[in-house]
Amino acid sequence: MANSLTRPTRRAVLGAALALATPGVLRASAPTEALRGAAFGTGWSVTLPAGRGAERYRRALEAILSEVDRQMSPWRADTVLSGFNRGQAPALELPSHMANVTAAALDLARDSGGQFDPSVGPLVARWGFGPITEGAAPDWRALALDNGHLSRAHPGVTLDLCGIAKGYALDLMAEQLLQHESDLLIDLGGELRGHGLHPSGRPWQVAIEDPRPGASGLRGVIGLEGAVATSGIAVQSYALDGRRYGHIIDPATAEPVSGSLLSVTVRSGTAMQADGWATALFAAGAQGPELARQAGLDALFLSAAGTGLQQEATGDFARALL
């Protein structure tokens, strides 16, 4: 879908059943109702206790998703982000949502030592995964945000917020729903936020799926209060000449991340932070666990080990496993 925030994938949202993306939502054991829709080339769902009238929230949620897409999609020529990438003006005043996400992206680039790079769009496109086909070499330090005005020190430096904007949209959805609901689960393309309890009285539970391309099965289950996001190669990747190429770029090599790492799942209070840090930690490859510890993150790293999987948890992630 050319007008989506992120490239179309095989991700689908199945409400309270297992999702195709990681993490998946465990099958419910008590009555729930689900509201479903499409956005950003993927699906979304809201799961509430049965009888809450989820449909009444559709218009507000779709307006949120439409506005985020209108401001930040690199797949649409008419968005604010695409206008900045095409333009030659030294600075551009950003609308509030895009300013919030850009500020968070630049903070994350700094805090991750550049592992999260919001200027990497042309490299992503070079490897077959993104629409920002023109632009200078990545240099996130050339981007600056001052009082809502975005500027670049070098002509041609572009901005790509796909690694964090979907999480921001999910947070906005949660803020809208939490004005009226205390128990809810939201899934936006495999990123989730859960609050309160499942109708059965237990926490919302999320399954972490086997991240190997073409594999099925689960690697664990966590209780969810807050947000969780996963980055990896299971969905957006291709195999060529014995190597698998994914959409996340290693800034040190300017190539897709290589090595044994298959996925990184991050728990956080906000989906934007979980989304962005999952990308950064995957981009860091073998150095990801140490970066997660330095940043005080709850993360789970799944890597190929022979014919099996090896896992490493940081922070309190292991305690969340059920």
Side-chain angles (χ1 to χ4, degrees):
M1 189 177 298
N3 64 346
S4 59
L5 175 65
T6 55
R7 186 173 183 168
T9 72
R10 299 193 311 269
R11 289 177 173 174
V13 182
L14 304 180
L18 287 172
L20 298 179
T22 326
V25 183
L26 289 185
R27 188 173 301 278
S29 56
T32 61
E33 63 178 271
L35 175 66
R36 297 184 177 89
F40 309 158
T42 185
W44 60 266
S45 73
V46 172
T47 303
L48 301 174
R52 293 299 302 164
E55 184 63 35
R56 61 192 167 124
Y57 299 122
R58 179 179 297 279
R59 181 175 297 181
L61 296 178
E62 289 182 340
I64 288 169
L65 295 167
S66 177
E67 184 61 20
V68 171
D69 197 58
R70 185 191 69 82
Q71 293 185 23
M72 290 173 259
S73 173
W75 294 91
R76 292 172 49 173
D78 62 341
T79 64
V80 179
L81 183 140
S82 293
F84 173 79
N85 287 342
R86 286 194 310 269
Q88 299 300 318
L92 177 68
E93 184 175 5
L94 301 182
S96 60
H97 289 316
M98 186 171 171
N100 292 340
V101 177
T102 300
L106 293 175
D107 286 347
L108 181 53
R110 181 197 64 229
D111 294 344
S112 67
Q115 299 294 348
F116 183 91
D117 188 345
S119 68
V120 78
L123 282 181
V124 176
R126 180 185 300 175
W127 291 96
F129 294 102
I132 305 176
T133 56
E134 298 181 1
D139 183 6
W140 65 268
R141 293 179 180 84
L143 297 170
L145 186 66
D146 182 22
N147 196 28
H149 289 75
L150 178 64
S151 62
R152 52 190 152 203
H154 310 307
V157 175
T158 59
L159 179 67
D160 185 353
L161 298 173
C162 284
I164 195 169
K166 186 167 67 174
Y168 179 77
L170 177 52
D171 289 332
L172 292 179
M173 294 173 75
E175 290 173 10
Q176 175 69 32
L177 290 169
L178 286 169
Q179 297 178 41
H180 310 281
E181 304 289 341
S182 57
D183 302 309
L184 58 93
L185 179 68
I186 313 171
D187 184 332
L188 177 56
E191 298 177 14
L192 297 107
R193 267 190 67 160
H195 295 275
L197 299 174
H198 184 275
S200 64
R202 58 164 171 78
W204 298 102
Q205 294 179 356
V206 172
I208 300 172
E209 296 180 349
D210 190 319
R212 291 171 290 188
S216 60
L218 307 181
R219 289 297 301 177
V221 178
I222 62 172
L224 182 61
E225 177 66 37
V228 64
T230 293
S231 288
I233 65 169
V235 177
Q236 295 192 60
S237 65
Y238 59 85
L240 182 65
D241 295 332
R243 176 182 169 184
R244 182 159 291 275
Y245 297 85
H247 68 290
I248 299 177
I249 303 299
D250 179 348
T253 65
E255 297 182 355
V257 176
S258 61
S260 62
L261 184 62
L262 297 177
S263 73
V264 181
T265 299
V266 175
R267 291 195 322 144
S268 183
T270 69
M272 182 166 65
Q273 288 297 311
D275 188 10
W277 271 111
T279 301
L281 296 177
F282 192 86
Q287 286 71 51
E290 180 57 30
L291 177 59
R293 293 186 182 95
Q294 292 174 0
L297 298 171
D298 298 346
L300 180 69
F301 297 79
L302 294 178
S303 303
T307 59
L309 288 173
Q310 176 180 325
Q311 72 179 43
E312 182 174 358
T314 66
D316 289 333
F317 200 102
R319 296 181 183 178
L321 291 169
L322 302 178

